[in-house]
Amino acid sequence: MTGSEGSGPPGTTGDEHRDEHGDVRTRGAAPAPDPEARRRRLSEAAVVRAVVWAARIVGALTVVAAVLPAPRRVIGSELRSTLGLPAGLGLASLVVTALAGVGLLLLATGLRRRKKRAWWVATATTTFLVVVNLLHVLDQRRGIGPAVLVVALLAALIATRRYFVARQDPGGLGRSVRSLLQFGLSGFLIVWVLLALNPRRLVGDPSIAAQAAHAALSLIGVTGPVEFEQRAVWLDDLTSAIGLTFGVVALVVAGYHLLRSPEPRPSLDPDDEQRLRALLDQRDGDSLGYFALRRDKAAVFAHGGKSAVSYRVLAGVALASGDPVGDVGAWPGAIEAFLGICTRYGWSPAVLGCSERGATAWSKAGLDALELGDEAVLETASFSLDGRPMRGVRQTVNRMQRSGHTVEVTRLRDLDETARMRVAERAHRWRGAEDERGFSMASSRVADPSDPDAVIVTALRDGEPSGMLQLVPWGRDGLSLDLMVRDADADNGVNELMIAELMAAAKDHGVKRVSLNFAMFRSALERGERIGAGPVARGWARVLRIASRWWQIDSLYRFNAKFRPSWYPRYVLFPAVRDLPRVLFVVLEAEGFGGRPPALLRLLRR
């Protein structure tokens, strides 16, 4: 992880130190799960929600008070005269007060994630609003109600300070200052140059210092000392708009960098990888358990190390995948440790692709569940190409065999180094420039020597490879499909042939079950095709088929369904409904189907 990318724990919770690059690293086991600690966490969450809603209410009322005509004058003429303040301060107060209200509305998101910097900025903003409201009361002799609300919010923030503990991106402060200076200086220079290039449109002969002061004041919406000719009102409006726009953008961008959550560079600590492998060797576990070994994930372990949760942080969301790895009885401890890390760094917890048993465990920890799709699983004992339901697959396999296709099934450990490198090179060549897809059901590597128990299925036509499957271990007697690639010139049906031959050779390799692809929204597609399906079911299925033009939704479901698998539901879990759109956006990015463009990521990490 680089300093510009932020920092966060790449592994277990515990005492913190920094590595040679300055990144935050953690060591030690998570504390033992404590029911009292969980109740305390839920109680603190309720208090934080109350403060968040108070900030939203005060922010909304502040914006309304600044915008509506009746209370628009925040600082009246009498008070300005008494204090000797400039006349332009009225508009400045209006703009700054409105921005403060909007700022509170935006800060509420940071407060909900219990960010320490969000608390500091919200406290400073609320203090400013207290002063503004007190001045309003002194000037107008009315409006004490809003002042009481703002004072109450300030008191609540101070009283609950200890709850806002989430750490920020350690490089965020520097980027925040740079953004503020860059946008602010850019707006200042543009306005100053416009004034300098149009001396005939200005009243009198304002000095360079006066023009500079006017440009600086335009950033906060204050009228400066420069006056414009009657025929050049457009220039006054233009410079004011440019200055205020750059000022607002500077504040927004600086605020984003100041309050953003750390997004650590994806990496799996070698020690954590070995601990995960030990857990996978001990338990049959989930069919997606082996994918916890992806090198772009981190892991957090329960007290005693009997269970772990693997995750990756994207856009402020800590996205776990599959069920926790290890002893089911230790799952609550691993889940609590994961949620504790999310609180510590201001991440929103989410889970992708967990089983029904895993969803139950996560739900008990306070997350909401939504069925996302189904996993197709083939049982070796019952799989057969015989019978009418398998007629299509059987005909495809027979056709491929008659045309000279054969299939080889071997464990990766049985290949020598030269053969292994050929397999890896071939897979990368066949994939070409296509982005890697998969997060919850992909290992992100091909024919890697660290996966000796992986199974390689290779289709050959007249001795030349034309397709390949890589499957990783699922417990002691199962396999999970990891990678499916083929030559661009391969005949249609090569994938069906490889799966059929794999199932025929499964018993020789001690395999009793094989997990195929995960079919998103399978139930919805199936319901929409049933006789008597209602308009909602048919409409939703139609939308999914349209989406399949860009994402393999319908085609993947139909491919899996050819083999008559057993379907097992998979779920996505999230903190609350309001977080679901953001979580789904992160899921698309993690799975390689979109998300933030690379150019935007480079800009955000500058």
Side-chain angles (χ1 to χ4, degrees), residues 587-602:
V587 166
L588 290 176
E589 181 171 334
E591 294 286 350
F593 291 102
R596 296 167 295 176
L600 177 60
L601 288 175
R602 289 193 297 270

Side-chain angles (χ1 to χ4, degrees), residues 506-525:
K507 292 181 180 179
D508 296 336
H509 290 270
V511 175
K512 296 181 179 179
R513 51 191 178 169
V514 175
S515 170
L516 297 180
N517 287 312
F518 171 72
M520 293 182 63
F521 307 113
R522 181 200 69 88
S523 299
L525 289 168

